[in-house]
Coordinates of all heavy atoms in Angstrom, one line a residue:
M1 N 70.7 267.0 46.3 CA 70.4 265.6 46.5 C 71.4 264.8 45.7 O 71.4 264.8 44.4 CB 68.9 265.4 46.2 CG 68.0 266.1 46.9 SD 67.4 265.2 48.4 CE 66.1 264.2 47.6
A2 N 72.0 263.7 46.2 CA 72.9 262.9 45.4 C 72.4 261.5 45.7 O 71.8 261.0 46.5 CB 74.5 263.0 46.1
K3 N 72.8 260.6 44.6 CA 72.3 259.3 44.7 C 73.2 258.5 45.6 O 74.4 258.7 45.5 CB 72.4 258.8 43.3 CG 71.0 258.7 42.6 CD 71.2 257.9 41.4 CE 69.8 257.8 40.6 NZ 69.7 257.1 39.4
K4 N 72.7 257.7 46.4 CA 73.6 257.0 47.3 C 72.8 255.6 47.3 O 71.8 255.4 46.7 CB 73.5 257.4 48.7 CG 74.4 258.8 48.7 CD 74.9 259.1 50.2 CE 75.8 260.2 50.1 NZ 76.4 260.5 51.4
L5 N 73.5 254.7 48.0 CA 73.0 253.2 48.1 C 72.7 252.9 49.5 O 73.7 253.1 50.4 CB 74.2 252.4 47.6 CG 73.7 251.1 46.8 CD1 72.8 251.3 45.6 CD2 75.1 250.4 46.4
R6 N 71.5 252.4 49.7 CA 71.2 251.9 51.2 C 71.4 250.4 51.1 O 71.0 249.8 50.2 CB 69.7 252.2 51.5 CG 69.4 251.7 52.9 CD 68.0 252.2 53.3 NE 66.9 251.4 52.9 CZ 66.4 250.4 53.6 NH1 66.8 250.0 54.8 NH2 65.4 249.7 53.1
V7 N 72.2 250.0 51.9 CA 72.6 248.5 52.0 C 72.2 248.0 53.3 O 72.4 248.5 54.4 CB 74.1 248.4 51.7 CG1 74.5 246.9 51.7 CG2 74.6 249.1 50.5
W8 N 71.7 246.8 53.3 CA 71.3 246.1 54.7 C 71.4 244.7 54.5 O 71.3 244.0 53.4 CB 69.9 246.5 55.2 CG 68.7 246.1 54.4 CD1 67.8 245.1 54.9 CD2 68.1 246.6 53.2 NE1 66.9 245.0 53.8 CE2 66.9 245.9 52.9 CE3 68.5 247.7 52.3 CZ2 66.2 246.2 51.8 CZ3 67.8 248.0 51.2 CH2 66.7 247.2 50.9
I9 N 71.6 244.1 55.8 CA 72.0 242.6 55.8 C 71.1 242.1 56.8 O 70.9 242.6 58.0 CB 73.4 242.4 56.2 CG1 74.4 243.2 55.4 CG2 73.8 241.0 56.3 CD1 75.9 243.4 56.3
D10 N 70.4 240.8 56.6 CA 69.6 240.2 57.5 C 70.5 239.4 58.3 O 70.8 238.1 58.1 CB 68.6 239.3 56.8 CG 67.5 240.0 55.9 OD1 67.3 241.2 56.2 OD2 67.1 239.5 54.8
R11 N 71.2 240.0 59.2 CA 72.2 239.4 60.0 C 71.9 238.2 60.8 O 72.7 237.2 60.8 CB 72.9 240.4 61.1 CG 73.5 241.5 60.3 CD 74.2 242.4 61.5 NE 75.5 242.0 61.6 CZ 76.0 241.5 63.0 NH1 75.1 241.4 63.8 NH2 77.2 241.1 63.1
D12 N 70.6 238.0 61.1 CA 70.3 236.8 61.9 C 70.3 235.5 61.1 O 70.3 234.5 61.5 CB 68.9 237.0 62.6 CG 67.8 237.4 61.6 OD1 68.1 237.8 60.5 OD2 66.7 237.2 62.0
Q13 N 70.3 235.8 59.8 CA 70.4 234.6 58.8 C 71.8 234.4 58.2 O 72.0 233.5 57.3 CB 69.4 234.8 57.7 CG 67.9 234.8 58.2 CD 67.0 235.2 57.1 OE1 66.9 234.5 56.2 NE2 66.2 236.2 57.4
C14 N 72.9 235.1 58.7 CA 74.1 235.1 58.0 C 74.8 233.8 58.4 O 74.7 233.3 59.6 CB 75.0 236.2 58.5 SG 76.6 236.2 58.0
I15 N 75.3 233.1 57.4 CA 76.1 231.8 57.7 C 77.7 232.0 57.9 O 78.4 231.1 58.0 CB 75.8 230.7 56.7 CG1 76.2 231.2 55.3 CG2 74.4 230.3 56.8 CD1 76.1 230.1 54.3
A16 N 78.0 233.2 57.9 CA 79.4 233.6 58.3 C 80.4 232.9 57.4 O 81.6 232.7 57.9 CB 79.7 233.3 59.8
D17 N 80.2 232.9 56.1 CA 81.2 232.4 55.2 C 82.2 233.3 54.6 O 83.2 233.0 53.9 CB 80.5 231.6 54.1 CG 79.7 232.4 53.1 OD1 79.5 233.7 53.5 OD2 79.2 232.0 52.2
Q18 N 82.0 234.6 55.1 CA 82.8 235.6 54.7 C 82.9 236.1 53.2 O 83.8 236.7 52.8 CB 84.2 235.4 55.2 CG 84.2 235.1 56.8 CD 85.6 234.9 57.2 OE1 86.7 235.3 56.7 NE2 85.8 234.2 58.4
V19 N 82.0 235.6 52.3 CA 82.0 235.9 51.0 C 81.9 237.4 50.7 O 82.7 237.9 49.9 CB 80.9 235.1 50.3 CG1 80.7 235.6 48.7 CG2 81.3 233.6 50.2
C20 N 81.0 238.0 51.5 CA 80.8 239.6 51.1 C 82.0 240.3 51.5 O 82.4 241.1 50.7 CB 79.6 240.0 51.8 SG 79.6 239.5 53.6
A21 N 82.6 240.1 52.6 CA 83.8 240.6 53.2 C 85.0 240.4 52.2 O 85.7 241.3 52.1 CB 84.2 240.2 54.5
A22 N 85.0 239.2 51.4 CA 86.1 239.0 50.6 C 86.0 239.9 49.3 O 86.9 240.2 48.7 CB 86.3 237.5 50.4
L23 N 84.7 239.8 48.9 CA 84.4 240.5 47.6 C 84.4 241.9 47.6 O 84.8 242.7 46.6 CB 83.0 240.0 47.0 CG 83.0 238.5 46.5 CD1 81.6 238.2 46.1 CD2 84.0 238.3 45.3
C24 N 83.9 242.6 48.7 CA 83.7 244.0 48.9 C 84.1 244.4 50.2 O 83.1 244.9 51.1 CB 82.2 244.2 48.5 SG 81.9 246.0 48.3
P25 N 85.3 244.5 50.6 CA 85.8 244.8 51.9 C 85.7 246.2 52.2 O 85.6 246.8 53.3 CB 87.2 244.4 51.9 CG 87.8 244.3 50.5 CD 86.5 244.0 49.7
Q26 N 85.4 247.0 51.2 CA 85.0 248.5 51.3 C 83.9 248.7 52.2 O 83.7 249.7 52.8 CB 84.9 249.3 50.0 CG 86.2 249.1 49.1 CD 86.2 248.2 48.1 OE1 85.8 246.9 48.4 NE2 86.7 248.3 46.9
V27 N 82.8 247.7 52.0 CA 81.5 248.0 52.7 C 81.2 246.9 53.7 O 80.6 247.2 54.7 CB 80.5 247.9 51.5 CG1 79.1 247.9 52.1 CG2 80.7 248.9 50.5
F28 N 81.8 245.6 53.5 CA 81.5 244.5 54.4 C 82.6 244.1 55.2 O 83.7 244.0 54.7 CB 80.8 243.3 53.7 CG 79.6 243.7 52.8 CD1 79.9 243.9 51.5 CD2 78.4 243.8 53.4 CE1 78.7 244.4 50.8 CE2 77.3 244.1 52.6 CZ 77.4 244.4 51.3
E29 N 82.4 243.8 56.4 CA 83.4 243.2 57.4 C 82.7 242.1 58.2 O 81.5 242.2 58.5 CB 84.1 244.4 58.2 CG 83.3 244.9 59.2 CD 84.0 246.1 60.0 OE1 85.2 246.4 59.6 OE2 83.4 246.6 60.9
M30 N 83.5 241.3 58.8 CA 83.0 240.3 59.8 C 83.1 240.9 61.2 O 84.2 241.4 61.6 CB 83.8 239.1 59.8 CG 83.9 238.4 58.4 SD 82.2 238.3 57.5 CE 81.4 237.1 58.4
A31 N 82.0 241.1 61.8 CA 82.0 241.6 63.2 C 82.5 240.8 64.3 O 82.7 239.6 64.0 CB 80.6 242.2 63.5
D32 N 82.7 241.3 65.5 CA 83.1 240.4 66.6 C 82.2 239.2 66.9 O 82.7 238.3 67.5 CB 83.2 241.3 67.9 CG 84.3 242.3 67.8 OD1 85.2 242.2 67.0 OD2 84.3 243.3 68.6
D33 N 81.0 239.4 66.6 CA 80.1 238.2 66.8 C 80.1 237.2 65.7 O 79.3 236.2 65.7 CB 78.6 238.7 67.0 CG 77.9 239.4 65.7 OD1 78.7 239.5 64.7 OD2 76.8 239.9 65.8
G34 N 81.0 237.4 64.8 CA 81.3 236.4 63.6 C 80.4 236.7 62.3 O 80.6 235.8 61.4
L35 N 79.6 237.6 62.6 CA 78.5 237.7 61.4 C 78.9 238.9 60.6 O 79.6 239.9 61.1 CB 77.2 237.9 61.9 CG 76.6 236.7 62.8 CD1 75.2 237.0 63.3 CD2 76.7 235.5 62.2
S36 N 78.5 239.1 59.3 CA 78.7 240.2 58.5 C 78.0 241.4 58.9 O 77.0 241.5 59.6 CB 78.2 239.8 57.0 OG 78.2 240.9 56.3
S37 N 78.8 242.5 58.7 CA 78.3 243.9 59.2 C 78.7 244.8 58.1 O 79.7 244.6 57.4 CB 78.8 244.2 60.5 OG 80.2 244.4 60.5
I38 N 78.1 246.1 58.1 CA 78.5 247.1 57.4 C 79.8 247.9 58.2 O 79.6 248.0 59.3 CB 77.4 248.2 57.2 CG1 76.0 247.5 56.7 CG2 77.7 249.4 56.4 CD1 76.2 247.0 55.2
V39 N 80.7 248.2 57.4 CA 82.0 248.8 58.0 C 81.5 250.1 58.7 O 80.5 250.8 58.2 CB 83.1 249.1 57.0 CG1 83.6 247.9 56.4 CG2 82.5 250.1 55.9
A40 N 82.1 250.5 59.8 CA 81.7 251.6 60.6 C 81.4 252.9 59.9 O 80.6 253.6 60.1 CB 82.8 251.8 61.8
Q41 N 82.5 253.0 58.9 CA 82.5 254.4 58.2 C 81.1 254.6 57.5 O 80.7 255.8 57.4 CB 83.7 254.2 57.1 CG 83.7 255.3 56.1 CD 84.6 255.0 55.1 OE1 85.3 253.9 55.1 NE2 84.9 256.1 54.3
Y42 N 80.3 253.6 57.1 CA 79.1 253.8 56.3 C 78.0 253.5 57.2 O 76.7 253.5 56.7 CB 79.1 252.9 55.1 CG 80.2 253.4 54.1 CD1 81.1 252.4 53.5 CD2 80.5 254.7 53.7 CE1 82.1 252.8 52.8 CE2 81.5 255.0 53.0 CZ 82.2 254.1 52.4 OH 83.3 254.5 51.6
R43 N 78.0 253.1 58.5 CA 76.9 252.9 59.2 C 76.2 254.1 59.5 O 76.6 255.3 59.8 CB 77.2 252.3 60.5 CG 77.3 250.8 60.5 CD 77.8 250.2 61.8 NE 78.9 249.2 61.7 CZ 79.8 249.1 62.6 NH1 79.8 249.6 63.8 NH2 80.7 248.1 62.4
K44 N 74.7 254.1 59.3 CA 73.9 255.2 59.6 C 73.8 255.5 61.1 O 73.9 256.6 61.6 CB 72.5 254.9 58.9 CG 71.7 256.2 58.6 CD 70.5 255.8 57.9 CE 69.7 257.0 57.7 NZ 68.3 256.6 57.2
D45 N 73.6 254.4 61.8 CA 73.6 254.4 63.2 C 74.8 253.5 63.6 O 74.8 252.3 63.3 CB 72.4 253.8 63.6 CG 72.3 253.6 65.2 OD1 73.2 253.7 65.9 OD2 71.2 253.1 65.8
P46 N 75.7 254.1 64.4 CA 77.0 253.4 64.7 C 76.6 251.9 65.5 O 77.4 251.0 65.4 CB 77.7 254.3 65.7 CG 77.1 255.6 65.5 CD 75.8 255.4 65.0
N47 N 75.6 251.9 66.1 CA 75.1 250.7 66.8 C 74.4 249.8 66.0 O 74.2 248.7 66.5 CB 74.4 251.1 68.1 CG 75.3 251.8 69.1 OD1 76.3 251.5 69.2 ND2 74.7 252.9 69.6
N48 N 74.0 250.1 64.8 CA 73.3 249.2 63.9 C 74.3 248.6 62.9 O 74.5 249.3 61.9 CB 72.1 249.9 63.2 CG 71.3 249.0 62.4 OD1 71.6 247.8 62.3 ND2 70.2 249.5 61.7
L49 N 74.7 247.5 63.1 CA 75.7 246.8 62.2 C 75.1 246.4 60.8 O 75.8 246.0 60.0 CB 76.3 245.6 62.9 CG 77.0 245.8 64.2 CD1 77.7 244.5 64.6 CD2 78.0 246.9 64.3
A50 N 73.9 246.3 60.9 CA 73.1 245.8 59.7 C 72.8 246.6 58.5 O 72.4 246.1 57.6 CB 71.8 245.0 60.3
E51 N 73.0 248.0 58.7 CA 72.6 248.9 57.7 C 73.5 250.0 57.5 O 74.0 250.5 58.5 CB 71.2 249.4 58.0 CG 70.5 250.3 57.0 CD 69.0 250.7 57.2 OE1 68.4 250.0 58.1 OE2 68.7 251.7 56.7
G52 N 73.6 250.4 56.2 CA 74.5 251.6 56.0 C 74.2 252.4 54.7 O 73.2 251.8 54.0
I53 N 74.7 253.5 54.6 CA 74.5 254.4 53.5 C 75.8 254.6 52.8 O 76.7 255.0 53.3 CB 73.9 255.8 53.8 CG1 72.6 255.7 54.6 CG2 73.7 256.5 52.5 CD1 71.4 255.2 53.9
V54 N 75.8 254.0 51.5 CA 77.1 253.9 50.7 C 77.3 254.7 49.6 O 76.3 254.8 49.0 CB 77.2 252.3 50.4 CG1 78.5 252.1 49.6 CG2 77.2 251.5 51.7
P55 N 78.4 255.2 49.3 CA 78.6 256.0 48.0 C 78.2 255.2 46.8 O 78.4 254.0 46.7 CB 80.0 256.4 47.9 CG 80.5 256.2 49.3 CD 79.6 255.1 50.0
I56 N 77.6 255.8 45.8 CA 77.0 255.1 44.7 C 78.1 254.5 43.9 O 78.0 253.6 43.2 CB 76.1 256.0 43.8 CG1 75.2 255.3 42.7 CG2 76.9 257.0 43.1 CD1 74.1 254.5 43.6
E57 N 79.3 255.0 44.0 CA 80.5 254.6 43.2 C 80.8 253.1 43.6 O 81.6 252.3 43.0 CB 81.7 255.3 43.6 CG 81.7 256.7 42.9 CD 80.8 257.8 43.6 OE1 80.4 257.5 44.7 OE2 80.4 258.7 43.0
L58 N 80.3 252.7 44.8 CA 80.6 251.3 45.3 C 79.4 250.3 44.8 O 79.5 249.1 45.4 CB 80.7 251.3 46.8 CG 82.0 252.0 47.3 CD1 82.0 252.1 48.9 CD2 83.2 251.4 46.9
K59 N 78.7 250.8 44.0 CA 77.5 250.0 43.7 C 77.9 248.6 43.1 O 77.3 247.5 43.5 CB 76.5 250.6 42.7 CG 75.3 249.8 42.3 CD 74.4 250.7 41.4 CE 73.1 249.9 41.0 NZ 72.3 250.7 40.1
D60 N 78.9 248.5 42.2 CA 79.3 247.3 41.6 C 79.8 246.3 42.6 O 79.6 245.1 42.6 CB 80.4 247.6 40.5 CG 79.8 248.3 39.3 OD1 78.6 248.3 39.1 OD2 80.6 248.6 38.4
C61 N 80.6 247.0 43.5 CA 81.3 246.1 44.6 C 80.0 245.4 45.5 O 80.1 244.3 45.6 CB 82.1 247.0 45.4 SG 82.9 246.5 46.8
V62 N 79.1 246.2 45.8 CA 77.9 245.8 46.7 C 77.1 244.8 45.9 O 76.8 243.8 46.5 CB 77.1 246.9 47.1 CG1 75.9 246.4 48.0 CG2 77.9 247.9 48.0
A63 N 77.0 245.1 44.7 CA 76.2 244.1 43.8 C 76.8 242.8 43.7 O 76.2 241.8 43.7 CB 76.0 244.7 42.3
Q64 N 78.0 242.8 43.6 CA 78.8 241.5 43.7 C 78.5 240.7 44.9 O 78.3 239.4 44.8 CB 80.4 241.8 43.5 CG 80.9 241.5 42.1 CD 82.4 241.3 42.2 OE1 83.2 242.2 43.0 NE2 82.9 240.4 41.7
A65 N 78.5 241.4 45.9 CA 78.3 240.6 47.3 C 76.8 240.1 47.3 O 76.4 239.1 47.7 CB 78.6 241.6 48.4
V66 N 75.8 241.1 46.9 CA 74.4 240.9 46.9 C 74.3 239.6 46.1 O 73.5 238.5 46.4 CB 73.6 241.8 46.3 CG1 72.2 241.4 46.0 CG2 73.6 243.1 47.2
D67 N 74.9 239.4 44.8 CA 74.7 238.2 43.9 C 75.4 237.0 44.4 O 75.0 236.0 44.0 CB 75.3 238.6 42.5 CG 74.5 239.6 41.8 OD1 73.3 239.9 42.2 OD2 74.9 240.2 40.9
S68 N 76.4 237.2 45.2 CA 77.2 236.0 45.5 C 76.9 235.5 47.1 O 77.3 234.4 47.4 CB 78.7 236.4 45.6 OG 79.1 236.9 44.4
C69 N 76.1 236.3 47.8 CA 75.8 235.7 49.2 C 75.1 234.5 49.0 O 73.9 234.4 48.3 CB 75.0 236.8 49.9 SG 74.3 236.1 51.5
P70 N 75.5 233.4 49.5 CA 74.7 232.0 49.3 C 73.4 231.9 50.0 O 72.5 231.1 49.5 CB 75.7 231.0 50.0 CG 76.6 231.8 50.8 CD 76.7 233.1 50.4
V71 N 73.1 232.8 50.9 CA 71.7 232.7 51.4 C 70.9 234.0 51.1 O 69.8 234.3 51.7 CB 71.8 232.7 53.0 CG1 72.1 231.1 53.3 CG2 72.8 233.4 53.7
Q72 N 71.6 234.8 50.2 CA 70.7 236.0 49.6 C 70.1 236.9 50.7 O 69.0 237.2 50.5 CB 69.6 235.4 48.6 CG 70.2 234.6 47.5 CD 70.7 235.5 46.3 OE1 70.1 236.1 45.9 NE2 72.1 235.5 46.3
I73 N 70.9 237.2 51.6 CA 70.4 238.2 52.6 C 71.1 239.5 52.6 O 70.8 240.3 53.5 CB 70.8 237.5 54.0 CG1 72.3 237.3 54.2 CG2 69.9 236.3 54.3 CD1 72.7 237.0 55.7
I74 N 71.7 239.9 51.5 CA 72.2 241.3 51.4 C 71.4 242.0 50.3 O 71.0 241.6 49.4 CB 73.6 241.4 51.0 CG1 74.5 240.5 51.8 CG2 74.1 242.8 50.9 CD1 75.9 240.3 51.4
H75 N 70.9 243.2 50.8 CA 70.0 243.9 50.0 C 70.5 245.3 49.7 O 71.1 245.9 50.5 CB 68.5 244.1 50.6 CG 68.2 242.8 51.2 ND1 67.5 241.8 50.5 CD2 68.2 242.3 52.5 CE1 67.3 240.7 51.2 NE2 67.6 241.0 52.3
M76 N 70.1 246.0 48.6 CA 70.5 247.3 48.3 C 69.3 248.0 47.6 O 68.6 247.3 46.7 CB 71.8 247.4 47.6 CG 71.8 246.8 46.1 SD 73.4 247.1 45.4 CE 73.0 246.6 43.7
E77 N 69.4 249.3 47.8 CA 68.4 250.1 46.9 C 69.1 251.5 46.8 O 69.7 252.0 47.7 CB 67.0 250.3 47.6 CG 67.0 251.0 48.9 CD 65.6 251.2 49.4 OE1 64.6 250.7 48.9 OE2 65.4 252.0 50.5
E78 N 68.9 252.2 45.7 CA 69.3 253.6 45.4 C 68.4 254.6 46.1 O 67.2 254.3 46.1 CB 69.3 253.8 43.9 CG 70.6 253.1 43.2 CD 70.7 253.5 41.7 OE1 70.3 254.7 41.4 OE2 71.4 252.7 41.0
I79 N 69.0 255.5 46.7 CA 68.1 256.5 47.4 C 68.7 257.9 47.0 O 69.8 258.0 46.4 CB 68.3 256.3 48.9 CG1 69.6 256.4 49.5 CG2 67.5 255.1 49.3 CD1 69.7 256.5 50.9
E80 N 68.0 258.9 47.4 CA 68.5 260.3 47.2 C 68.7 260.8 48.5 O 67.9 260.7 49.4 CB 67.3 261.2 46.4 CG 67.0 260.7 45.0 CD 67.9 261.2 44.0 OE1 68.8 262.0 44.3 OE2 67.9 260.7 42.9
E81 N 69.9 261.4 48.7 CA 70.1 261.8 50.0 C 70.9 263.1 50.0 O 71.8 263.4 49.1 CB 70.9 260.9 50.9 CG 70.7 261.2 52.3 CD 71.5 260.1 53.3 OE1 72.7 260.0 53.2 OE2 70.7 259.3 53.9
Ligands
SF4_101 S1 77.9 236.5 52.1 FE1 75.9 236.4 53.1 S2 76.1 234.6 54.5 FE2 78.2 235.1 53.8 S3 79.1 236.4 55.4 FE3 78.1 237.8 53.9 S4 76.0 238.1 54.5 FE4 76.8 236.3 55.6

């Protein structure tokens, strides 16, 4: 069991200012619908743009996005997987 990070975005409330994608492009990108999404590499379900499982090494990067999102809709929790 290794520690990982579950990351999810309340996409319906995203204001598309691209802050998360600028701060942490390893995890966040702007999708075709203009809203933030988890990069394909880390999506648990390829069709669910809103949620991913990310290596724990990227925690600082994700935390920056969590703290900087102006509408506070990015969430993360540590999990064992
Ligand atoms: S920082 Fe927040 S509001 Fe801005 S694009 Fe990312 S999820 Fe959307």
Side-chain angles (χ1 to χ4, degrees):
M1 296 268 274
K3 266 195 180 173
K4 293 206 171 177
L5 211 55
R6 183 168 86 92
V7 183
W8 69 103
I9 310 162
D10 301 326
R11 294 186 84 242
D12 55 341
Q13 295 172 55
C14 176
I15 59 170
D17 64 355
Q18 306 186 17
V19 168
C20 54
L23 287 173
C24 188
Q26 297 96 318
V27 177
F28 303 97
E29 66 182 6
M30 305 311 291
D32 290 344
D33 62 5
L35 305 179
S36 173
S37 68
I38 304 294
V39 295
Q41 179 184 1
Y42 295 133
R43 277 178 221 152
K44 208 171 165 185
D45 169 353
N47 296 315
N48 181 2
L49 307 184
E51 185 172 340
I53 306 294
V54 173
I56 199 75
E57 289 76 18
L58 292 172
K59 186 177 178 181
D60 288 351
C61 175
V62 174
Q64 260 199 306
V66 169
D67 292 343
S68 303
C69 173
V71 284
Q72 298 285 289
I73 56 164
I74 306 173
H75 315 279
M76 67 176 189
E77 67 175 4
E78 284 187 27
I79 59 169
E80 301 275 347
E81 201 177 67

